[in-house]
Amino acid sequence: MRRFLVLLLLIPALSGCADGDPPGAYLPATIRLGVLPDQSAYRLRARYLPLVSYLAAATSLDVELVLSNDYPELLDQFAAGELDIVNFGGLTFTQAEARSGADPLVTRDTDLAFTSCYIVPGPDTRSSIRDFAGEAFAFGPRLSTSGHLMPRHFLGLAGIDPEKTFSAVRYSNGHDHTAAWVRDGEVAIGAVNCVILEALLRDRRLEPGEIRVLETTPTYANYVWAVQPSMPEDIRTPLRDAFLALDATVPEQRDLLRLLGANGYLPAGRSDFDGIRLAARALGLVERADGK
């Protein structure tokens, strides 16, 4: 009787492999969607829960938003298989790629020519970054592409070493925090994501005249939705197609795209982030495939 009961228990497990899926195949009951914690949890939910609802309806998959406390936790969760699809920044994508084999899926049309903004208080009349030598400077989170990596990269190309040029270099928890520090005079100058800055001004979280864009960086590739390398095509294809189908001429989808800071989505490839990899390696933030 004991052997008979064991066989009964094994039948469901064996039937799960009947369609040719190998043991341990990636078959999540719920698609766990993660996003960069670059704003407050309240703002992230307001921005991404409509996308979760759209993806669930478009793919007939169960989709759940999972928020992380910080950038390292997001990377750890993806590496542990606790997240299935993540909206990474360029830097965190290259780190997740090197560490966990993250596979790029789609990117916003705006992400292949992204910029960061160096901002100062609105009344300040100085005209260049060098004019702020000896003042306090703020980056965003250390693992932020638009708030740290690329602003630091372009400062270096201009011959500006932040730690030697400014009286202090601080790191905020998000772009909205950096903007608030500049507005409130806690730092004299800061680097933020230009798209999020536009949203802060549009939503009147920053009032006109409270801050001013001093300079804008050259363009670079940034955010990308990436999935687990083991995600099968019958899951990743519907997800990809749902993003690509978003149409700004459809009113409800136009509102969703506006929330996401996009006009539409494009397929993403690894080569899109070659420039980010070079900048990250130069700063020791990501290893080459050979470990160097």
Side-chain angles (χ1 to χ4, degrees):
M1 177 62 71
R2 183 179 296 112
R3 290 177 180 173
F4 177 71
L5 289 174
V6 169
L7 286 172
L8 285 178
L9 290 171
L10 284 173
I11 287 173
L14 292 171
S15 65
C17 298
D19 294 332
D21 291 320
Y26 180 95
L27 295 170
T30 299
I31 301 301
R32 297 154 299 183
L33 181 148
V35 297
L36 278 180
D38 55 4
Q39 298 185 75
S40 69
Y42 170 79
R43 294 292 175 185
L44 292 173
R45 290 190 186 94
R47 187 179 193 189
Y48 289 106
L49 283 176
L51 174 65
V52 167
S53 297
Y54 165 78
L55 291 175
T59 64
S60 298
L61 296 167
D62 290 328
V63 184
E64 174 190 6
L65 177 65
V66 178
L67 296 183
S68 307
N69 291 315
D70 51 36
Y71 287 48
E73 182 180 69
L74 180 73
L75 288 165
D76 288 343
Q77 289 172 315
F78 188 82
E82 297 170 4
L83 296 171
D84 305 298
I85 179 170
V86 172
N87 189 29
F88 288 114
L91 173 57
T92 45
F93 166 68
T94 60
Q95 292 180 321
E97 177 188 50
R99 178 179 175 184
S100 314
D103 202 0
L105 191 71
V106 294
T107 187
R108 297 177 302 182
D109 59 323
T110 54
D111 281 322
L112 297 181
F114 210 83
T115 57
S116 296
C117 292
Y118 301 101
I119 59 173
V120 298
D124 197 303
T125 60
R126 284 174 281 186
S127 60
S128 76
I129 293 174
R130 292 184 184 277
D131 292 338
F132 288 82
E135 304 270 12
F137 184 100
F139 288 116
R142 290 178 185 271
L143 295 184
S144 170
T145 307
S146 55
H148 177 221
L149 173 66
M150 297 313 288
R152 180 182 283 276
H153 172 70
F154 290 119
L155 287 174
L157 292 181
I160 298 174
D161 182 331
E163 279 71 24
K164 293 180 180 178
T165 301
F166 303 109
S167 62
V169 175
R170 298 178 60 182
Y171 295 88
S172 75
N173 292 325
H175 302 282
D176 47 355
H177 294 158
T178 304
W181 284 355
V182 173
R183 178 197 63 200
D184 298 340
E186 294 188 40
V187 297
I189 179 172
V192 298
N193 175 314
C194 291
V195 172
I196 291 179
L197 176 62
E198 290 173 4
L200 293 172
L201 291 166
R202 183 172 59 249
D203 299 344
R204 303 300 290 267
R205 283 176 278 165
L206 285 175
E207 293 295 331
E210 288 185 330
I211 63 95
R212 176 172 64 86
V213 176
L214 180 69
E215 294 184 25
T216 302
T217 67
T219 60
Y220 55 89
N222 197 3
Y223 295 92
V224 59
W225 287 96
V227 298
Q228 292 286 352
S230 55
M231 180 181 283
E233 284 299 326
D234 61 355
I235 295 178
R236 74 170 65 197
T237 297
L239 287 171
R240 182 195 302 113
D241 290 348
F243 277 104
L244 298 180
L246 282 168
D247 186 346
T249 66
V250 178
E252 59 270 25
Q253 293 185 13
R254 180 177 62 244
D255 293 340
L256 175 56
L257 285 166
R258 185 180 296 116
L259 268 179
L260 298 170
N263 299 306
Y265 280 84
L266 303 168
R270 295 193 188 279
S271 63
D272 296 333
F273 300 91
D274 288 347
I276 295 292
R277 285 190 202 89
L278 290 174
R281 287 169 184 162
L283 293 176
L285 295 174
V286 68
E287 291 184 348
R288 291 174 13 178
D290 58 10
K292 296 180 180 179

mmCIF file of all heavy atoms in Angstrom, residues 99-132:
data_model
loop_
_atom_site.group_PDB
_atom_site.id
_atom_site.type_symbol
_atom_site.label_atom_id
_atom_site.label_comp_id
_atom_site.label_asym_id
_atom_site.label_seq_id
_atom_site.Cartn_x
_atom_site.Cartn_y
_atom_site.Cartn_z
ATOM 1 N N ARG A 99 25.952 38.548 -13.956
ATOM 2 C CA ARG A 99 25.762 37.699 -12.778
ATOM 3 C C ARG A 99 24.773 36.567 -13.012
ATOM 4 O O ARG A 99 24.984 35.440 -12.542
ATOM 5 C CB ARG A 99 25.268 38.576 -11.619
ATOM 6 C CG ARG A 99 24.973 37.851 -10.325
ATOM 7 C CD ARG A 99 24.532 38.852 -9.267
ATOM 8 N NE ARG A 99 24.126 38.223 -8.031
ATOM 9 C CZ ARG A 99 23.633 38.884 -6.991
ATOM 10 N NH1 ARG A 99 23.515 40.203 -7.045
ATOM 11 N NH2 ARG A 99 23.265 38.229 -5.901
ATOM 12 N N SER A 100 23.678 36.858 -13.748
ATOM 13 C CA SER A 100 22.564 35.915 -13.823
ATOM 14 C C SER A 100 22.125 35.591 -15.241
ATOM 15 O O SER A 100 21.159 34.852 -15.420
ATOM 16 C CB SER A 100 21.353 36.490 -13.060
ATOM 17 O OG SER A 100 21.720 37.019 -11.808
ATOM 18 N N GLY A 101 22.789 36.159 -16.246
ATOM 19 C CA GLY A 101 22.396 35.887 -17.626
ATOM 20 C C GLY A 101 21.136 36.579 -18.058
ATOM 21 O O GLY A 101 20.438 36.103 -18.969
ATOM 22 N N ALA A 102 20.783 37.710 -17.437
ATOM 23 C CA ALA A 102 19.562 38.440 -17.799
ATOM 24 C C ALA A 102 19.494 38.647 -19.309
ATOM 25 O O ALA A 102 20.478 38.988 -19.952
ATOM 26 C CB ALA A 102 19.529 39.786 -17.083
ATOM 27 N N ASP A 103 18.302 38.435 -19.865
ATOM 28 C CA ASP A 103 18.104 38.475 -21.311
ATOM 29 C C ASP A 103 17.236 39.689 -21.668
ATOM 30 O O ASP A 103 16.092 39.784 -21.210
ATOM 31 C CB ASP A 103 17.411 37.184 -21.751
ATOM 32 C CG ASP A 103 17.618 36.878 -23.209
ATOM 33 O OD1 ASP A 103 18.302 37.652 -23.898
ATOM 34 O OD2 ASP A 103 17.072 35.857 -23.674
ATOM 35 N N PRO A 104 17.738 40.634 -22.470
ATOM 36 C CA PRO A 104 16.951 41.837 -22.787
ATOM 37 C C PRO A 104 15.720 41.484 -23.612
ATOM 38 O O PRO A 104 15.783 40.628 -24.509
ATOM 39 C CB PRO A 104 17.927 42.697 -23.581
ATOM 40 C CG PRO A 104 18.903 41.739 -24.168
ATOM 41 C CD PRO A 104 19.043 40.639 -23.159
ATOM 42 N N LEU A 105 14.607 42.136 -23.313
ATOM 43 C CA LEU A 105 13.343 41.850 -23.999
ATOM 44 C C LEU A 105 12.894 43.038 -24.837
ATOM 45 O O LEU A 105 12.852 42.957 -26.065
ATOM 46 C CB LEU A 105 12.269 41.478 -22.976
ATOM 47 C CG LEU A 105 10.973 40.899 -23.543
ATOM 48 C CD1 LEU A 105 11.219 39.491 -24.089
ATOM 49 C CD2 LEU A 105 9.870 40.875 -22.475
ATOM 50 N N VAL A 106 12.561 44.146 -24.169
ATOM 51 C CA VAL A 106 12.108 45.343 -24.878
ATOM 52 C C VAL A 106 12.638 46.586 -24.172
ATOM 53 O O VAL A 106 13.008 46.547 -22.997
ATOM 54 C CB VAL A 106 10.560 45.438 -24.942
ATOM 55 C CG1 VAL A 106 9.973 44.319 -25.793
ATOM 56 C CG2 VAL A 106 9.952 45.440 -23.537
ATOM 57 N N THR A 107 12.648 47.679 -24.906
ATOM 58 C CA THR A 107 13.058 48.965 -24.348
ATOM 59 C C THR A 107 12.119 50.040 -24.872
ATOM 60 O O THR A 107 11.507 49.882 -25.941
ATOM 61 C CB THR A 107 14.516 49.279 -24.737
ATOM 62 O OG1 THR A 107 14.957 50.447 -24.074
ATOM 63 C CG2 THR A 107 14.664 49.467 -26.239
ATOM 64 N N ARG A 108 11.969 51.108 -24.128
ATOM 65 C CA ARG A 108 11.145 52.219 -24.612
ATOM 66 C C ARG A 108 11.811 52.887 -25.804
ATOM 67 O O ARG A 108 13.035 52.865 -25.939
ATOM 68 C CB ARG A 108 10.942 53.255 -23.504
ATOM 69 C CG ARG A 108 10.190 52.756 -22.300
ATOM 70 C CD ARG A 108 10.086 53.808 -21.221
ATOM 71 N NE ARG A 108 11.405 54.261 -20.783
ATOM 72 C CZ ARG A 108 11.613 55.154 -19.816
ATOM 73 N NH1 ARG A 108 10.577 55.698 -19.198
ATOM 74 N NH2 ARG A 108 12.833 55.489 -19.472
ATOM 75 N N ASP A 109 11.022 53.509 -26.632
ATOM 76 C CA ASP A 109 11.590 54.238 -27.765
ATOM 77 C C ASP A 109 12.509 55.353 -27.297
ATOM 78 O O ASP A 109 13.445 55.731 -28.003
ATOM 79 C CB ASP A 109 10.469 54.812 -28.642
ATOM 80 C CG ASP A 109 9.541 55.752 -27.882
ATOM 81 O OD1 ASP A 109 9.253 55.499 -26.699
ATOM 82 O OD2 ASP A 109 9.106 56.753 -28.480
ATOM 83 N N THR A 110 12.267 55.859 -26.101
ATOM 84 C CA THR A 110 13.072 56.959 -25.564
ATOM 85 C C THR A 110 14.380 56.498 -24.937
ATOM 86 O O THR A 110 15.254 57.324 -24.647
ATOM 87 C CB THR A 110 12.267 57.730 -24.502
ATOM 88 O OG1 THR A 110 11.802 56.803 -23.501
ATOM 89 C CG2 THR A 110 11.061 58.419 -25.117
ATOM 90 N N ASP A 111 14.532 55.190 -24.729
ATOM 91 C CA ASP A 111 15.668 54.703 -23.943
ATOM 92 C C ASP A 111 16.963 54.547 -24.722
ATOM 93 O O ASP A 111 18.031 54.413 -24.122
ATOM 94 C CB ASP A 111 15.326 53.372 -23.274
ATOM 95 C CG ASP A 111 14.493 53.549 -22.028
ATOM 96 O OD1 ASP A 111 14.748 54.518 -21.295
ATOM 97 O OD2 ASP A 111 13.587 52.733 -21.803
ATOM 98 N N LEU A 112 16.900 54.549 -26.028
ATOM 99 C CA LEU A 112 18.127 54.400 -26.803
ATOM 100 C C LEU A 112 18.845 55.731 -26.984
ATOM 101 O O LEU A 112 19.971 55.772 -27.477
ATOM 102 C CB LEU A 112 17.820 53.761 -28.166
ATOM 103 C CG LEU A 112 17.249 52.337 -28.081
ATOM 104 C CD1 LEU A 112 16.992 51.787 -29.477
ATOM 105 C CD2 LEU A 112 18.184 51.415 -27.306
ATOM 106 N N ALA A 113 18.207 56.814 -26.594
ATOM 107 C CA ALA A 113 18.838 58.141 -26.656
ATOM 108 C C ALA A 113 18.465 58.901 -25.385
ATOM 109 O O ALA A 113 17.809 59.938 -25.412
ATOM 110 C CB ALA A 113 18.386 58.901 -27.901
ATOM 111 N N PHE A 114 18.910 58.345 -24.254
ATOM 112 C CA PHE A 114 18.551 58.863 -22.936
ATOM 113 C C PHE A 114 19.554 59.934 -22.503
ATOM 114 O O PHE A 114 20.687 59.976 -22.991
ATOM 115 C CB PHE A 114 18.558 57.721 -21.927
ATOM 116 C CG PHE A 114 17.584 57.914 -20.800
ATOM 117 C CD1 PHE A 114 16.262 57.576 -20.966
ATOM 118 C CD2 PHE A 114 17.995 58.427 -19.589
ATOM 119 C CE1 PHE A 114 15.348 57.754 -19.924
ATOM 120 C CE2 PHE A 114 17.106 58.608 -18.547
ATOM 121 C CZ PHE A 114 15.776 58.271 -18.723
ATOM 122 N N THR A 115 19.145 60.793 -21.593
ATOM 123 C CA THR A 115 20.051 61.815 -21.064
ATOM 124 C C THR A 115 19.858 61.974 -19.560
ATOM 125 O O THR A 115 18.816 61.637 -19.007
ATOM 126 C CB THR A 115 19.815 63.189 -21.726
ATOM 127 O OG1 THR A 115 18.438 63.570 -21.537
ATOM 128 C CG2 THR A 115 20.146 63.156 -23.216
ATOM 129 N N SER A 116 20.900 62.493 -18.916
ATOM 130 C CA SER A 116 20.821 62.920 -17.521
ATOM 131 C C SER A 116 20.932 64.442 -17.482
ATOM 132 O O SER A 116 21.552 65.049 -18.360
ATOM 133 C CB SER A 116 21.953 62.306 -16.695
ATOM 134 O OG SER A 116 21.841 60.909 -16.649
ATOM 135 N N CYS A 117 20.336 65.025 -16.448
ATOM 136 C CA CYS A 117 20.359 66.473 -16.289
ATOM 137 C C CYS A 117 21.122 66.846 -15.021
ATOM 138 O O CYS A 117 20.895 66.255 -13.956
ATOM 139 C CB CYS A 117 18.930 67.024 -16.184
ATOM 140 S SG CYS A 117 17.964 66.894 -17.701
ATOM 141 N N TYR A 118 22.005 67.814 -15.131
ATOM 142 C CA TYR A 118 22.648 68.416 -13.963
ATOM 143 C C TYR A 118 21.786 69.599 -13.572
ATOM 144 O O TYR A 118 21.573 70.517 -14.373
ATOM 145 C CB TYR A 118 24.069 68.869 -14.293
ATOM 146 C CG TYR A 118 24.973 67.754 -14.771
ATOM 147 C CD1 TYR A 118 25.254 67.593 -16.124
ATOM 148 C CD2 TYR A 118 25.554 66.861 -13.869
ATOM 149 C CE1 TYR A 118 26.092 66.575 -16.563
ATOM 150 C CE2 TYR A 118 26.388 65.842 -14.304
ATOM 151 C CZ TYR A 118 26.650 65.700 -15.653
ATOM 152 O OH TYR A 118 27.477 64.690 -16.093
ATOM 153 N N ILE A 119 21.249 69.574 -12.359
ATOM 154 C CA ILE A 119 20.299 70.605 -11.948
ATOM 155 C C ILE A 119 20.851 71.431 -10.792
ATOM 156 O O ILE A 119 21.658 70.958 -9.984
ATOM 157 C CB ILE A 119 18.940 70.005 -11.552
ATOM 158 C CG1 ILE A 119 19.094 69.007 -10.387
ATOM 159 C CG2 ILE A 119 18.296 69.334 -12.760
ATOM 160 C CD1 ILE A 119 17.765 68.503 -9.827
ATOM 161 N N VAL A 120 20.392 72.676 -10.721
ATOM 162 C CA VAL A 120 20.797 73.615 -9.681
ATOM 163 C C VAL A 120 19.554 74.369 -9.216
ATOM 164 O O VAL A 120 18.514 74.327 -9.875
ATOM 165 C CB VAL A 120 21.862 74.608 -10.209
ATOM 166 C CG1 VAL A 120 23.118 73.864 -10.640
ATOM 167 C CG2 VAL A 120 21.309 75.441 -11.358
ATOM 168 N N PRO A 121 19.607 75.067 -8.084
ATOM 169 C CA PRO A 121 18.455 75.863 -7.667
ATOM 170 C C PRO A 121 18.085 76.903 -8.733
ATOM 171 O O PRO A 121 18.963 77.471 -9.391
ATOM 172 C CB PRO A 121 18.952 76.537 -6.385
ATOM 173 C CG PRO A 121 20.021 75.631 -5.867
ATOM 174 C CD PRO A 121 20.699 75.091 -7.089
ATOM 175 N N GLY A 122 16.796 77.122 -8.881
ATOM 176 C CA GLY A 122 16.321 78.033 -9.911
ATOM 177 C C GLY A 122 16.948 79.416 -9.880
ATOM 178 O O GLY A 122 17.321 79.951 -10.937
ATOM 179 N N PRO A 123 17.094 80.042 -8.716
ATOM 180 C CA PRO A 123 17.639 81.409 -8.683
ATOM 181 C C PRO A 123 19.145 81.489 -8.943
ATOM 182 O O PRO A 123 19.666 82.593 -9.162
ATOM 183 C CB PRO A 123 17.322 81.875 -7.251
ATOM 184 C CG PRO A 123 16.238 80.971 -6.766
ATOM 185 C CD PRO A 123 16.528 79.648 -7.410
ATOM 186 N N ASP A 124 19.855 80.346 -8.913
ATOM 187 C CA ASP A 124 21.310 80.372 -9.086
ATOM 188 C C ASP A 124 21.648 80.728 -10.531
ATOM 189 O O ASP A 124 21.154 80.101 -11.468
ATOM 190 C CB ASP A 124 21.906 79.009 -8.733
ATOM 191 C CG ASP A 124 23.404 79.073 -8.484
ATOM 192 O OD1 ASP A 124 24.133 79.517 -9.391
ATOM 193 O OD2 ASP A 124 23.834 78.693 -7.383
ATOM 194 N N THR A 125 22.510 81.703 -10.724
ATOM 195 C CA THR A 125 22.803 82.211 -12.071
ATOM 196 C C THR A 125 24.109 81.681 -12.657
ATOM 197 O O THR A 125 24.472 82.053 -13.774
ATOM 198 C CB THR A 125 22.857 83.746 -12.058
ATOM 199 O OG1 THR A 125 23.889 84.171 -11.152
ATOM 200 C CG2 THR A 125 21.522 84.336 -11.621
ATOM 201 N N ARG A 126 24.818 80.815 -11.936
ATOM 202 C CA ARG A 126 26.066 80.277 -12.488
ATOM 203 C C ARG A 126 25.779 79.455 -13.743
ATOM 204 O O ARG A 126 24.693 78.869 -13.865
ATOM 205 C CB ARG A 126 26.791 79.454 -11.430
ATOM 206 C CG ARG A 126 27.480 80.333 -10.381
ATOM 207 C CD ARG A 126 28.075 79.522 -9.257
ATOM 208 N NE ARG A 126 27.063 79.096 -8.293
ATOM 209 C CZ ARG A 126 27.330 78.464 -7.151
ATOM 210 N NH1 ARG A 126 28.595 78.184 -6.833
ATOM 211 N NH2 ARG A 126 26.352 78.124 -6.335
ATOM 212 N N SER A 127 26.751 79.413 -14.667
ATOM 213 C CA SER A 127 26.455 78.900 -16.002
ATOM 214 C C SER A 127 27.139 77.593 -16.380
ATOM 215 O O SER A 127 26.849 77.051 -17.446
ATOM 216 C CB SER A 127 26.826 79.955 -17.054
ATOM 217 O OG SER A 127 28.211 80.282 -16.976
ATOM 218 N N SER A 128 28.026 77.052 -15.541
ATOM 219 C CA SER A 128 28.687 75.798 -15.888
ATOM 220 C C SER A 128 28.932 74.963 -14.635
ATOM 221 O O SER A 128 28.950 75.491 -13.512
ATOM 222 C CB SER A 128 30.011 76.052 -16.604
ATOM 223 O OG SER A 128 31.007 76.470 -15.684
ATOM 224 N N ILE A 129 29.146 73.675 -14.850
ATOM 225 C CA ILE A 129 29.395 72.775 -13.724
ATOM 226 C C ILE A 129 30.650 73.188 -12.967
ATOM 227 O O ILE A 129 30.689 73.145 -11.728
ATOM 228 C CB ILE A 129 29.510 71.325 -14.224
ATOM 229 C CG1 ILE A 129 28.166 70.847 -14.759
ATOM 230 C CG2 ILE A 129 30.000 70.396 -13.109
ATOM 231 C CD1 ILE A 129 28.187 69.474 -15.413
ATOM 232 N N ARG A 130 31.674 73.634 -13.686
ATOM 233 C CA ARG A 130 32.924 74.038 -13.035
ATOM 234 C C ARG A 130 32.720 75.218 -12.088
ATOM 235 O O ARG A 130 33.499 75.401 -11.145
ATOM 236 C CB ARG A 130 33.981 74.387 -14.081
ATOM 237 C CG ARG A 130 34.453 73.176 -14.882
ATOM 238 C CD ARG A 130 35.556 73.546 -15.843
ATOM 239 N NE ARG A 130 35.951 72.411 -16.676
ATOM 240 C CZ ARG A 130 36.795 71.469 -16.300
ATOM 241 N NH1 ARG A 130 37.349 71.531 -15.091
ATOM 242 N NH2 ARG A 130 37.103 70.463 -17.111
ATOM 243 N N ASP A 131 31.683 76.014 -12.316
ATOM 244 C CA ASP A 131 31.402 77.149 -11.434
ATOM 245 C C ASP A 131 31.002 76.697 -10.037
ATOM 246 O O ASP A 131 30.989 77.506 -9.101
ATOM 247 C CB ASP A 131 30.278 78.020 -12.015
ATOM 248 C CG ASP A 131 30.691 78.733 -13.291
ATOM 249 O OD1 ASP A 131 31.910 78.898 -13.511
ATOM 250 O OD2 ASP A 131 29.800 79.121 -14.067
ATOM 251 N N PHE A 132 30.670 75.393 -9.895
ATOM 252 C CA PHE A 132 30.213 74.882 -8.600
ATOM 253 C C PHE A 132 31.322 74.146 -7.842
ATOM 254 O O PHE A 132 31.048 73.452 -6.858
ATOM 255 C CB PHE A 132 28.996 73.966 -8.809
ATOM 256 C CG PHE A 132 27.754 74.720 -9.189
ATOM 257 C CD1 PHE A 132 27.548 75.101 -10.505
ATOM 258 C CD2 PHE A 132 26.814 75.087 -8.239
ATOM 259 C CE1 PHE A 132 26.414 75.817 -10.878
ATOM 260 C CE2 PHE A 132 25.686 75.803 -8.588
ATOM 261 C CZ PHE A 132 25.486 76.171 -9.911
#
